[in-house]
Amino acid sequence: MTRPEEVDQLFGFANETSSEGKAGMLIFHDAPLTNYEKVVRYHNAIDRFTGGVIQGALFTEELLEYPEFEIKITAKVGATISSIQQQALKATFDDIELGLLPIGGGSGRGHSLTQRHGTWHIDWEQLTVTDHIPTAEGAN
């Protein structure tokens, strides 16, 4: 299944095979982490040739357990989104709320699953929804 072009325009994309990419219409701001505890996990290095453990090659990984952060997203100045893009944005927020969208590193090991606390502050009235999407520059 291929992603619709409208979703690539909204969120942006990176294509590693062709080295092409484009920024989306949304700006995701830095999110300071609060209320977390550091956890140290120990791992053995694996010999890629034999598949066994390398003797004496123990290493550690420091993780943040249950960090809290606030996601702030703004749209570029003059950005207009289509109804398909609005549906994609709403589906993304639903995935975050249900804990289905990993944010951060270690997602393959379950380290970056999310859970919503508090309330969403989304001003859908500020978004201009049309079926035509002009090119937008700058930030709003």
Side-chain angles (χ1 to χ4, degrees):
M1 184 171 168
T2 334
R3 274 178 20 158
E5 185 178 326
E6 291 91 352
V7 175
D8 283 343
Q9 292 172 348
L10 179 65
F11 293 111
F13 66 93
N15 187 335
E16 294 178 13
T17 56
S18 66
S19 299
E20 293 179 8
K22 183 179 179 199
M25 289 188 271
L26 303 176
I27 300 167
F28 291 79
H29 298 267
D30 288 340
L33 303 176
T34 59
N35 299 328
Y36 59 85
E37 292 184 33
K38 292 181 182 178
V39 176
V40 177
R41 295 223 173 117
Y42 297 92
H43 303 281
N44 291 314
I46 304 296
D47 183 338
R48 294 180 191 269
F49 181 69
T50 64
V53 174
I54 298 174
Q55 193 67 17
L58 182 68
F59 67 95
T60 60
E61 176 183 30
E62 188 174 85
L63 303 169
L64 303 181
E65 195 170 68
Y66 305 114
E68 294 180 5
F69 57 93
E70 183 175 308
I71 299 174
K72 181 179 178 186
I73 306 168
T74 55
K76 291 182 179 180
V77 172
T80 8
I81 65 172
S82 69
S83 55
I84 292 173
Q85 290 170 325
Q86 185 180 29
Q87 290 173 10
L89 192 55
K90 286 180 179 181
T92 301
F93 291 137
D94 289 343
D95 286 350
I96 291 172
E97 187 167 359
L98 295 172
L100 299 175
L101 182 67
I103 298 175
S107 62
R109 294 173 291 188
H111 295 319
S112 56
L113 297 176
T114 58
Q115 184 178 16
R116 181 183 69 96
H117 295 283
T119 58
W120 292 112
H121 298 288
I122 303 170
D123 190 354
W124 292 107
E125 300 300 319
Q126 284 189 349
L127 290 174
T128 305
V129 179
T130 64
D131 287 326
H132 173 69
I133 305 167
T135 305
E137 295 295 326
N140 185 7

